[in-house]
Amino acid sequence: MAHDDDPRQSLLEDKSCPLPNFNEKSVLQRRRFLRCRSSPVSENLCPEQNDIQSLQHFGSAFAQQEIGMKQLFIFLVAYLGVGTLCFFLIRNQIKGVKTNGILDAIYFCVVTMTTVGYGDLVPHTTLAKVLACIYVFTGMALGGHILGKAADYLVDKQQILMVKAIHLHEKVNPAEILKEVETHKVKYKFLMATVILLLLMIAGTVFLSNVENLKFIDAFYCVCSTVTTLGYGDKSFSTTAGRVFAVFWILSSTICLAQFFIYLTELYTEKRQRSLIKWVLARQLTFSDVEAADLDHDKAVSAAEFIIYKLKEMGKISKEDISPLMERFQKLDVDQSGALTATDIMLSQAS
């Protein structure tokens, strides 16, 4: 069936790593065993135990995230603290609209780190300019990473609440909620980032209108120029209360917008991937497909071979992924039976 001049190359064919040929009887016995092992009865034997394991796994993942968040928070505070101290000590070398020495230093750090750069506070000496240059580059590299992790953590935390709110009037157990979150993870992240971004923009507009006494359109304009880090500078925070608010609001709103576009891109990519998967699953198989999927060349395609072939076609795995795994399997399969046993493991360890 196969020809050397066939224009369609087998997706998973790798002549450098051929599979061992098994006799028909051993292949059929192995397939019956695999079908028994993968039956729905064995998978659904203890659904309650699966639910408990899912909850425990989710809880441990969040516990690790919380530990990481504490470390990131400490690092961020230290980074802002060092910057605040430096710019406070050279406060006389920074000109512009000033309120309080410490507050202005923190505000300048945040505006510099997020690249908003209103221009209401600017360095005017060589030392101040050099420090600002160093701080903005380290802020973009380190601060962006820290705030990105923080945004991911907050979104992951809140998406559970969103799923619960969507199914508020339905009887849904925690395991089903976790399954729903995992299945549509990117979608809920995108929705949560959208909601948070809208709330931050509304809060910023209301605050600027009431505290900074800006007109509604000017307040909204200032919010948009801030979250996008344009920072034209004609509208900014100039009062003491405004800069206290700005220190927290600028950090959260700018990174939230960045995460919004990241999740939007992921959502589009996931949609394209789902469309590809549907096409692959719905496509009619041809004789050429069966030949390409027949890895052990026994003129029959097992469930494992079919799954590997389809995963390759979906772009989930490649020949480069399969080859080293197959080589590892062949080394462990000492008796060349096509299945790993305890004897194979002991023999491979002894050798």
Side-chain angles (χ1 to χ4, degrees), residues 260-296:
F260 169 82
F261 285 113
I262 290 173
Y263 296 145
L264 179 62
T265 304
E266 288 183 2
L267 189 64
Y268 173 75
T269 305
E270 186 183 73
K271 186 178 179 181
R272 289 284 302 272
Q273 184 68 26
R274 288 181 185 274
S275 299
L276 175 62
I277 290 173
K278 287 181 181 179
W279 177 82
V280 169
L281 294 177
R283 187 175 67 84
Q284 295 294 326
L285 286 179
T286 64
F287 289 109
S288 180
D289 292 324
V290 174
E291 182 184 352
D294 184 16
L295 293 177
D296 53 11

Side-chain angles (χ1 to χ4, degrees), residues 109-118 136 139-140 226 228-231 254:
C109 286
V110 171
V111 169
T112 303
M113 182 177 70
T114 56
T115 70
V116 171
Y118 287 124
V136 71
M140 291 175 67
T226 300
T228 56
T229 69
L230 284 173
T254 52

